[in-house]
Amino acid sequence: KQTLLPLLREETSSFIFPCNLAVQRPELQHMVLELLRCIPLLLFLLFVCGLDHFIFSILSIIQHHSFIEYSYQTSHHLSVNVMGESLMAELLRTTIGALNSSFDTEVETSNLACLPQPTGMTRQQYQNTFLPLGTLALLCVAQVYPFRLRRAIAAFYFPKREKTRVLFLYNKLLRQRKNFLYLQRGRVARQARQPPGLGTLLLRWCRQRWPWLRRWVRWRCTLCGTPETPQHQPCPNPDCDALYCGSCW
């Protein structure tokens, strides 16, 4: 509980607050890993759709530029004329005259039946192809909210285990905070031994000379770096210009 152990700024980023709608840092790492797993599937779909469009373009070129049409026309006329008035002429006209014939032939054909008939994918088909992948990516983003219920469900069925986990977390935070304080003290001590730079001295002199500049030229917390507010506590040592926020102080 916050009244029992107020979290520092560095500690807040390592916890998940269920009532916060924003995706927090521990959830963000898991969400990014899940989204990265969708990249191979996206690349595969892009490759398949690109290959489909490439094959469709080739077949369409073949269809439009390989069309050949054949046209064949022929005429045949046979006429036998037998001159004379004799019996033999009459007989020949009767027998050979049956061979007289006349016909015209016109044939048109093409290789249309042998050409490919490609059909390109429509925009709706492309959308239906990528819709499951988009839904999967959306679920990767939205899964952080159902995952927050896991602790509540486990606490409902195993209250003793929940109490043990809370005590363990509390003691862990105390140990981490003790180590953090030890490390930060060493860092501040090393920083104090270093002489201030020219810019720092100039800003310090301007703030002392014109106090109204403090509204725009503000110091930051020595530990967490939060901008200066009226709640910040200066170091009681007059020779030290260190400033601390409420939680760090």
Side-chain angles (χ1 to χ4, degrees):
K1 295 183 179 179
Q2 197 166 6
T3 56
L4 177 64
L5 184 65
L7 297 176
L8 299 178
R9 183 181 179 184
E10 291 78 8
E11 298 171 345
T12 305
S13 60
S14 61
F15 286 90
I16 299 175
F17 297 92
C19 297
N20 190 0
L21 296 180
V23 179
Q24 300 163 52
R25 182 182 296 180
E27 300 172 328
L28 184 63
Q29 182 180 3
H30 181 72
M31 184 185 67
V32 171
L33 291 177
E34 293 294 334
L35 291 177
L36 289 178
R37 295 177 182 176
C38 299
I39 293 180
L41 183 58
L42 176 61
L43 296 178
F44 174 74
L45 288 180
L46 291 176
F47 172 76
V48 171
C49 293
L51 182 63
D52 173 78
H53 181 71
F54 176 72
I55 296 176
F56 168 74
S57 301
I58 293 179
L59 294 180
S60 179
I61 293 174
I62 294 175
Q63 180 188 14
H64 289 87
H65 295 277
S66 299
F67 177 73
I68 300 176
E69 186 176 8
Y70 302 92
S71 179
Y72 177 75
Q73 296 179 355
T74 181
S75 299
H76 180 77
H77 299 280
L78 178 62
S79 177
V80 179
N81 295 325
V82 180
M83 308 300 293
E85 298 293 336
S86 63
L87 179 61
M88 181 60 68
E90 291 292 337
L91 181 61
L92 290 176
R93 277 197 291 269
T94 304
T95 55
I96 300 177
L99 299 177
N100 297 339
S101 62
S102 177
F103 62 88
D104 297 327
T105 303
E106 183 176 355
V107 179
E108 292 185 359
T109 183
S110 64
N111 63 342
L112 182 62
C114 301
L115 293 178
Q117 305 293 331
T119 303
M121 292 180 61
T122 61
R123 180 179 299 180
Q124 183 65 32
Q125 290 174 336
Y126 279 113
Q127 292 178 357
N128 295 336
T129 303
F130 285 91
L131 183 61
L133 182 60
T135 305
L136 180 61
L138 183 61
L139 290 177
C140 292
V141 177
Q143 70 177 354
V144 297
Y145 301 105
F147 281 177
R148 294 179 183 179
L149 300 176
R150 295 179 296 180
R151 189 207 61 83
I153 296 174
F156 178 79
Y157 287 102
F158 305 99
K160 294 183 179 180
R161 174 66 65 178
E162 176 69 11
K163 183 178 180 180
T164 304
R165 292 178 68 249
V166 170
L167 291 176
F168 173 79
L169 179 61
Y170 179 74
N171 295 325
K172 179 182 177 181
L173 279 177
L174 290 181
R175 292 192 300 268
Q176 290 180 352
R177 185 170 297 184
K178 183 178 179 181
N179 296 331
F180 174 77
L181 182 61
Y182 175 77
L183 295 176
Q184 292 300 325
R185 279 178 177 174
R187 186 177 68 86
V188 172
R190 290 191 301 269
Q191 184 177 354
R193 297 190 191 101
Q194 297 177 358
L198 181 60
T200 304
L201 293 175
L202 181 61
L203 289 177
R204 186 183 304 171
W205 180 80
C206 293
R207 284 167 57 91
Q208 294 175 357
R209 183 69 179 273
W210 299 290
W212 53 271
L213 286 177
R214 295 183 179 182
R215 295 182 179 179
W216 296 276
V217 183
R218 296 189 298 176
W219 295 121
R220 291 182 175 272
C221 177
T222 307
L223 293 181
C224 62
T226 54
E228 180 183 1
T229 60
Q231 289 74 25
H232 279 54
Q233 297 289 337
C235 181
N237 188 355
D239 297 333
C240 182
D241 295 327
L243 193 68
Y244 302 93
C245 62
S247 60
C248 294
W249 179 254

